[in-house]
Amino acid sequence: MNLVIIGRFPADTDTQIRAFFPADWEVSITESNLAGPYLQNADALIPEHIPIGPSFLDKAPKLRMIQTGAGYDNVDLAECTRRSILVCSAAGVNTAAVAEHTMALILGWFKNIVYLDSFLKAHRDSRELRYSGGELCGKTAGIIGLGAIGQRVSSLCQAFGMNVLGYARHPKSVQGVETVSLDELLARSDVVSIHVPATPETRHMIGRQAFQKMKPSAVLVNTARGAVVHEEDLIEALGDHQIAGACLDVYEEEPLPQASRLRELPNVILTPHTAGYPDGVKLHEKRYSFFSSNIRQAWSGEMPANLLNRDAWKAWR
C-alpha cells in the first residue's frame, strides 16, 4: 500500500500521524507543491484542502481511493467516479471537536477573553477597562444547518440556557430547536452559527443582504466552510458595524492571506481552520484512526464508510 498524505505538518505531528497506519505501508507525507513524485505510485490519498480535479488525477495513474475529512467540496466527484476512484468523507468523526470549538468562539466573544487577556498582558490598569460583555443565558442562537454538528451545537447552546432557532434546506425536527426561515433566523438571532457544507447552492448564501437583516448587536460564527460567506461583504459589514462581530475558523482563501483585512479588524476572532483538530496541530486522533480503518476496510473488499460515489465501488470491485 502506497499512501500519500498532502498537507503541512510540524515534525512531531508527522511522526504521530504515521503511527496510525500499518508498519508495512509506504506512507508519504508531503506538501502539495512537492507531491508529484509521490503521486506516481499512490494507491490511496488523504488531501488537506487542495483541489482534486482531472489535471491532479493525471499525476496519480494508480490511485484507487481518496479519503477526505468532513468536507469534500475540493474533490471532483464526477471525475473520480469516471476513473473508478473511491471518494470517502469522514463525516461525523469531528462533530464533537467542531461543536466545542464553535462554543469556545461564542464564549470567547461574549466573555471578551481575547481582549481581557491582551489587556492584562499589556500591564494595563484594570480601572481602564472598556468593554461590553454578556451572558449566553437568555440569548438566541441561530443554527444554519441541522446536521450532526449543527445539532450538537444546538444542544450545547441549550445547556447554556440559550433559545435556539434552526434553519435547514431540508426541514427536520430537532429537540429544543424552533425551525424557522433563514430570514427569520437572521432577524431574531444574537448569534448566527453556520454548519452547512460548501456546495453550489450554499456558496455565498451569507452576504450583504443577510447582514442587513441581522441585529447590529449580533455575531456571526463560521466553523463550516469559508465559501458559504461572502468575505468582502462580511468585511464591509464589520467595518460599518452593521453587525457587532464575527468569529471565524474558515475563509474563502486558505491559508488566510497575510494581506487580508480580517487580520486588522478589532471586532473579529480568528482561528486557522483548526476546529476539527483538538489533539494537537493538524492532528485529531479519532480522525486518523478512522482514515486508517476505512482505507483498510476498502482494501479488504468491504465497502468503506461514508462512500460518496457508489458507482465507483461497482467498478472498483
Side-chain angles (χ1 to χ4, degrees), residues 2-58:
N2 282 289
L3 170 65
V4 176
I5 302 173
I6 299 179
R8 294 188 65 179
F9 306 93
D12 56 341
T13 302
D14 185 307
T15 301
Q16 288 176 285
I17 288 173
R18 292 179 188 277
F20 284 96
F21 301 97
D24 60 345
W25 286 18
E26 183 68 34
V27 179
S28 302
I29 301 177
T30 181
E31 296 181 31
S32 58
N33 61 326
L34 302 174
Y38 301 101
L39 292 174
Q40 284 294 319
N41 294 309
D43 298 304
L45 172 71
I46 299 174
E48 295 285 347
H49 311 301
I50 61 170
I52 307 294
S55 61
F56 181 97
L57 295 171
D58 285 343

Side-chain angles (χ1 to χ4, degrees), residues 83-160:
R83 300 183 188 221
S84 300
I85 299 170
L86 304 183
V87 182
C88 299
S89 78
V93 174
N94 66 350
T95 294
V98 176
E100 290 172 7
H101 193 96
T102 300
M103 290 308 299
L105 289 173
I106 294 171
L107 283 164
W109 174 264
F110 282 99
K111 299 305 176 184
N112 295 276
I113 300 301
V114 175
Y115 167 74
L116 295 174
D117 175 73
S118 61
F119 182 93
L120 286 178
K121 288 178 178 176
H123 301 276
R124 296 178 64 184
D125 190 317
S126 59
R127 290 171 293 186
E128 302 173 20
L129 277 173
R130 296 289 184 274
Y131 74 99
S132 60
E135 297 178 345
L136 296 188
C137 186
K139 286 187 168 55
T140 297
I143 311 298
I144 300 176
L146 293 172
I149 296 174
Q151 291 184 43
R152 186 67 167 260
V153 172
S154 73
S155 67
L156 293 173
C157 288
Q158 290 175 59
F160 279 93

